[in-house]
Structure formats: structure tokens, C-alpha cells
Amino acid sequence: MEMLSPPGMIILIGAAVLLDLVFGDPKWLPHPVVGFGKLISFLEKKLNKGSGRQKRRRGVLLTAVIVTIVYGASFLLLSLFYNIHWLAGAVLEAWLISTAIAIKGLKEAALNVAVPLSKGRLAEARRQLSMIVGRDTEDLDESSIVRGTVETVAENTVDGITAPLFWALIGGAPLALAYRAVNTMDSMVGYKNERFYSFGWSAARLDDLVNWLPARLTFVTMLAGALFVPGARITHAFRMTIRDARKHPSPNSGWAEAAAAGLLGVQLGGRNTYNGVVSEREPMGEPLEKLRCCHINRAITFMHGGWIVFLLLLILSAIIF
């Protein structure tokens, strides 16, 4: 399969974004990421055994196998379709790239929390939040529900939108899907607990690597997009991100989360519980405003501004290079 030129790939990426905005992830259509998850779960049960050193080696094997299978299978499938007709290959590639991004899905997941919360239905808002975060949600008050939602929107602006767009420009659908496979592995086995600490080491480190540049570019594009949002605290957000981004346990997630905290004028981070175990995260941002339901909608606005400017940046880079 011949690689498309950067302008050609930009056209496909634009088509993929449009597909995602209009259709999202229809439940009736098989989704590659679901398949990744099933394969990772199957192999994890087979490989995650032995001593710490053995688990680390087997985790490296899992990472290599998953990335190779996902990249290789998508490359071969696209080659087949492009050989049939270039239009068949282009349509398939645009659809595959659209499955690697989640603009509509992220917006809807956040609104599923915001809508019942705005009507005072805390139990429903907690239930909806529990579907997108790993923390315990049963006893959260409004501000904690908002914090969890805003943090999720900010972090997934990178994981679910800008990073896959970045890798799609470089290597088309195969590389975008390989990125999503790495991200899925990290979310499934990248935990620092007894079961996964050694086994998930390679998946977590690779996820850190492939998100390093997209996360920092997203910080810039979020602030640039916020120029068009009335009331955005852009200078404050720049200061907060430079000060607080490195406080996050992840070397990358803090860039978008601290930017969102600064733009909103709120404080993120703090106390969470996971299966009853308390986890304290350093705070990011300053509490200029109390966290309220309206901040979820504003976080969605900043998410949109971030990916739109990011896409424009990709288009500019394709034209120049």
C-alpha cells in the first residue's frame, strides 16, 4: 500500500472527523477498539504469570504482539481495498481513522453527566460519571462530580482526539489504530498495583512516549482555541499549566488538565477513592470559582477549540512540509 501524500491524508482525516461528528460510534457497527480490548484481555490472562521479572518480559511481549497485530492487520486490509480501487481504500481508511477518535462520544459522555446534574438528580449524575471514570462515585457531591467530568474531558481531549489525529497524519489509519491499541492497553494493564505493576510496565511507558508531543501541542491549541471563548482565562491558564502540569502522576495528562483548570478558573486534582482506597493527587489550578455544573459545558467548549486548532495546525504542517 502506497502512503498518501500529506495533503491527501489531511483530506481523509477531515472526512474521518466529519464521520465522527455526525455518527460517532454506532452500536450496530463493530468497533475496532472493542476488538483490541477483547484481544488484550485474552492475552493478559494467558501471559500475566510468574515472578516480577517474568511478568515484565511477558508484558513487553504483549505490547509487541498487540501493536504488530493491529498495525499489520489494518495495513493488509487497507492494501487489499486500495488494490481493488483507490476510492474503496480511501473510504475504508477514513472510517478506520474515525474509529480512533471520539469527539462526539466524549461530548455525549460529559453531557450525560451534566444534564441530570443540572436538574439536581445527583444519583443519576454519579451513575453516568461511574461509566467514564475509575474512581468511586457513590458519595460524590456536585463539585466532585464536576471535577471528575472536567478531568475526563481534558485528559481524553488528548487520548481520544488530538493524539490519534497526530499519528494518523504521520502513518494513516494503521498508525492511528496502533496508537489506540497502545492507549487501550495502558487503560487495561497500566495500573501500579500488584497484578499489573510489572506486567503493564511496557504498555504504560509506550503510552507515555506516544502521547508526549500530542499532549504538549494540545496545551497550546487549547489556549489558542480559547481566544474565541468569552471569559476564558488564557494568561492564567498558561501560568497554571507551566506551574502544575508536572504535578499529575502521568507525564502527559497534566498538560490538558492544568490548561482546563486555568481556563475555567477552578482547581482540579485532590482526593479520590478507588474501590475504597484513598488516593491524593496534588491540586492543579487555583479555585477562583467553585466547581459548578456549567463548568462541564465550558470544558466541552475548550475541548472543541483545542481539537479544531490542532487540526488546523496539522493542515498547516501538511502544506509546509
Side-chain angles (χ1 to χ4, degrees):
M1 183 184 78
E2 292 186 11
M3 286 294 297
L4 293 174
S5 65
M9 186 53 65
I10 281 292
I11 292 172
L12 284 189
I13 289 172
V17 168
L18 185 60
L19 282 172
D20 180 70
L21 289 172
V22 174
F23 299 107
D25 298 320
K27 293 183 179 180
W28 57 268
L29 196 61
H31 199 288
V33 175
V34 175
F36 302 163
K38 291 180 179 178
L39 180 59
I40 292 165
S41 179
F42 172 79
L43 292 177
E44 185 271 329
K45 292 174 183 176
K46 299 290 184 182
L47 295 173
N48 191 5
K49 302 172 183 177
S51 65
R53 183 173 297 180
Q54 290 173 322
K55 284 187 174 185
R56 178 169 291 199
R57 288 199 298 265
R58 288 167 177 257
V60 172
L61 176 62
L62 172 75
T63 303
V65 167
I66 292 295
V67 172
T68 300
I69 289 176
V70 170
Y71 184 91
S74 55
F75 185 90
L76 290 174
L77 183 62
L78 282 169
S79 296
L80 174 63
F81 274 68
Y82 274 114
N83 284 332
I84 295 171
H85 194 279
W86 71 267
L87 184 58
V91 170
L92 177 61
E93 186 153 24
W95 174 71
L96 288 175
I97 294 172
S98 77
T99 67
I101 58 180
I103 303 169
K104 184 177 182 180
L106 181 56
K107 172 188 173 182
E108 290 179 344
L111 290 178
N112 285 342
V113 178
V115 170
L117 186 62
S118 68
K119 298 177 181 179
R121 302 203 304 263
L122 287 180
E124 175 64 14
R126 291 171 185 141
R127 188 182 71 81
Q128 292 293 339
L129 179 62
S130 71
M131 299 175 70
I132 57 174
V133 300
R135 69 193 67 176
D136 300 333
T137 63
E138 293 85 358
D139 300 317
L140 297 184
D141 59 13
E142 178 179 351
S143 64
S144 297
I145 294 170
V146 173
R147 176 167 65 85
T149 309
V150 170
E151 289 171 351
T152 298
V153 170
E155 180 178 359
N156 284 282
T157 299
V158 178
D159 293 351
I161 308 174
T162 57
L165 291 178
F166 176 86
W167 292 110
L169 179 64
I170 293 175
L175 202 54
L177 290 174
Y179 164 79
R180 288 296 289 157
V182 171
N183 192 244
T184 304
M185 271 191 293
D186 179 57
S187 68
M188 294 180 67
V189 304
Y191 297 103
K192 293 182 178 179
N193 56 27
E194 183 178 355
R195 178 176 177 180
F196 293 120
Y197 186 82
S198 296
F199 185 76
W201 173 86
S202 62
R205 297 293 76 76
L206 183 57
D207 186 72
D208 291 342
L209 178 64
V210 297
N211 277 311
W212 193 92
L213 183 56
R216 285 149 183 81
L217 290 175
T218 303
F219 150 60
V220 175
T221 62
M222 282 181 68
L223 266 58
L227 289 169
F228 303 94
V229 181
R233 295 176 168 88
I234 298 169
T235 303
H236 177 71
F238 180 83
R239 293 201 322 270
M240 292 300 98
T241 307
I242 298 302
R243 189 191 75 179
D244 294 343
R246 294 173 182 82
K247 293 179 179 179
H248 198 284
S250 162
N252 300 313
S253 297
W255 290 88
E257 287 193 29
L263 289 169
L264 294 169
V266 301
Q267 190 170 79
L268 302 178
R271 180 189 176 97
N272 296 314
T273 61
Y274 298 86
N275 296 317
V277 179
V278 176
S279 172
E280 292 284 351
R281 262 182 44 192
E282 288 195 65
M284 293 184 293
E286 294 176 354
L288 305 180
E289 297 184 22
K290 182 180 178 181
L291 282 159
R292 303 187 308 277
C293 186
C294 63
H295 289 119
I296 296 177
N297 291 289
R298 286 182 64 78
I300 294 171
T301 300
F302 293 133
M303 175 268 286
H304 281 309
W307 75 256
I308 290 170
V309 175
F310 194 95
L311 184 59
L312 293 174
L313 185 65
L314 294 185
I315 294 171
L316 181 61
S317 66
I319 293 173
I320 294 174
F321 301 108

